[in-house]
Amino acid sequence: YMASVEQVPGDYLEFGVFSGSSLRHAMRCQQRFASLSPHPVRFFGFDSFQGFGEISDQDVHPAFRDQNFVADVDRVRKSLERMGGGQPWTLVEGFYAQTLAAGPGAQGITQARIVFIDCDLYESARLALSYSAEVLQPGSFIVLDDFFGYRGRRDRGVCRAFDEFVDEYGFDLRQVCSYGMGGTVWVCAGRGE
């Protein structure tokens, strides 16, 4: 809603699609609020659909196991076709170290409207945030799921990746709200001086 009211141009990028439920929800929201903004939105979902792959010692967590996050990519595609309402979407299948290496230009992404980080682990979140850095703009929203994971420790998981991202790239980010069980939403006000 806020991205539409603020008429933020760009694409929706989701890192950690799993079954596609949040991607479908974002598409429904775009349909609902499309009249508020003249900008078309494309939807990109990035996931291995094979779970996490190799997990480093710093990312060990009782809930983050491959078997919990394996998804049938064909089933996800069918649900997006059925529920997407004809909106343009792309699934980028594979582990981030390979699929994100070429940068957003490889997908034709030039601006991000919303970046949704739902990949749970530090390394995955770090790669996703770095990938997104060149397409963030004033008004872009960053949604961080599992921000307070690892018992709230700042030196683990998504929180660590986000803190490092802010330090490295110098974005001026303001927290908009908390959502769900342990997530946060931020808006980009630009890059700091």
Side-chain angles (χ1 to χ4, degrees):
Y1 171 77
M2 288 180 67
S4 295
V5 167
E6 294 293 327
Q7 298 190 351
V8 180
D11 298 317
Y12 174 92
L13 314 179
E14 181 169 315
F15 299 90
V17 175
F18 187 42
S19 66
S21 62
S22 55
L23 188 55
R24 290 190 308 272
H25 178 72
M27 295 168 96
R28 284 191 298 273
C29 288
Q30 173 57 27
Q31 285 178 313
R32 182 174 179 192
F33 300 116
S35 64
L36 300 176
S37 178
H39 303 290
V41 178
R42 298 176 302 164
F43 294 83
F44 291 87
F46 301 84
D47 202 304
S48 72
F49 299 100
Q50 299 172 40
F52 296 115
E54 188 175 326
I55 297 177
S56 71
D57 290 343
Q58 67 189 353
D59 279 333
V60 171
H61 187 283
F64 303 150
R65 302 278 183 252
D66 274 343
Q67 63 270 24
N68 296 342
F69 294 98
V70 173
D72 182 341
V73 69
D74 292 328
R75 180 180 249 171
V76 174
R77 281 190 181 97
K78 288 176 185 172
S79 73
L80 292 173
E81 288 168 3
R82 189 174 58 252
M83 304 287 288
Q87 296 178 88
W89 57 269
T90 301
L91 291 181
V92 180
E93 185 179 353
F95 291 105
Y96 296 164
Q98 288 78 43
T99 59
L100 303 183
Q107 297 294 332
I109 300 167
T110 59
Q111 291 178 302
R113 179 182 187 146
I114 298 171
V115 174
F116 183 40
I117 307 290
D118 190 9
C119 44
D120 307 321
L121 307 179
Y122 162 75
E123 185 61 22
S124 299
R126 184 188 68 76
L127 291 169
L129 286 163
S130 293
Y131 176 91
S132 303
E134 70 182 77
V135 294
L136 289 177
Q137 61 189 318
S140 293
F141 288 89
I142 301 174
V143 182
L144 301 169
D145 195 53
D146 301 306
F147 186 76
F148 297 105
Y150 297 92
R151 299 182 180 188
R153 290 179 59 171
R154 294 196 75 97
D155 65 338
R156 298 287 172 115
V158 173
C159 183
R160 175 183 171 194
F162 182 70
D163 286 347
E164 290 177 2
F165 168 76
V166 172
D167 288 344
E168 181 178 350
Y169 291 96
F171 282 104
D172 179 9
L173 299 165
R174 296 176 50 211
Q175 187 172 354
V176 177
C177 62
S178 295
Y179 88 97
M181 296 297 296
T184 60
V185 180
W186 302 77
V187 65
C188 179
R191 287 200 187 222
E193 298 297 320

